[in-house]
Amino acid sequence: EGKTPFIKAVINHRLDLSSLEIQSILTHGREASAHGVITDKKGNKTYFSDIFLFSSSKKAAKIKQITSFVKTEKNDHTN
């Protein structure tokens, strides 16, 4: 938990991206969510859904919690 482990996890999961498609972003009060698909240059797809809880509903509120769901689909047709 905390900023440092989150930043390390993001750095460790970096991809050479081909595209990022955000299919939807929803916000209401202190909560927000986004989902979409990331495609790397090898054609592998990572589907994601992220749920954010903010410290308040104010514009400059800090992120209090993130819950992420990730599903990776490998491209079997790489050359």
Side-chain angles (χ1 to χ4, degrees):
E1 293 199 15
K3 262 194 260 186
T4 303
F6 175 76
I7 292 169
K8 284 182 181 178
V10 169
I11 290 170
N12 288 337
H13 291 92
R14 281 188 310 203
L15 299 172
D16 194 11
L17 299 183
S18 172
S19 68
L20 165 64
E21 179 184 345
I22 298 175
Q23 296 172 334
S24 73
I25 298 174
L26 302 171
T27 63
H28 184 74
R30 295 176 11 150
E31 299 176 342
S33 66
H35 82 280
V37 61
I38 299 167
T39 305
D40 69 18
K41 292 191 176 180
K42 294 180 181 178
N44 301 314
K45 295 184 181 288
T46 301
Y47 301 90
F48 67 90
S49 178
D50 296 322
I51 303 162
F52 301 87
L53 177 63
F54 294 92
S55 58
S56 73
S57 59
K58 294 182 181 178
K59 219 176 206 183
K62 293 185 178 185
I63 296 172
K64 185 175 179 178
Q65 179 181 356
I66 302 173
T67 303
S68 296
F69 299 93
V70 177
K71 167 80 168 100
T72 303
E73 181 179 282
K74 297 289 182 186
N75 179 4
D76 293 333
H77 304 291
T78 55
N79 295 331

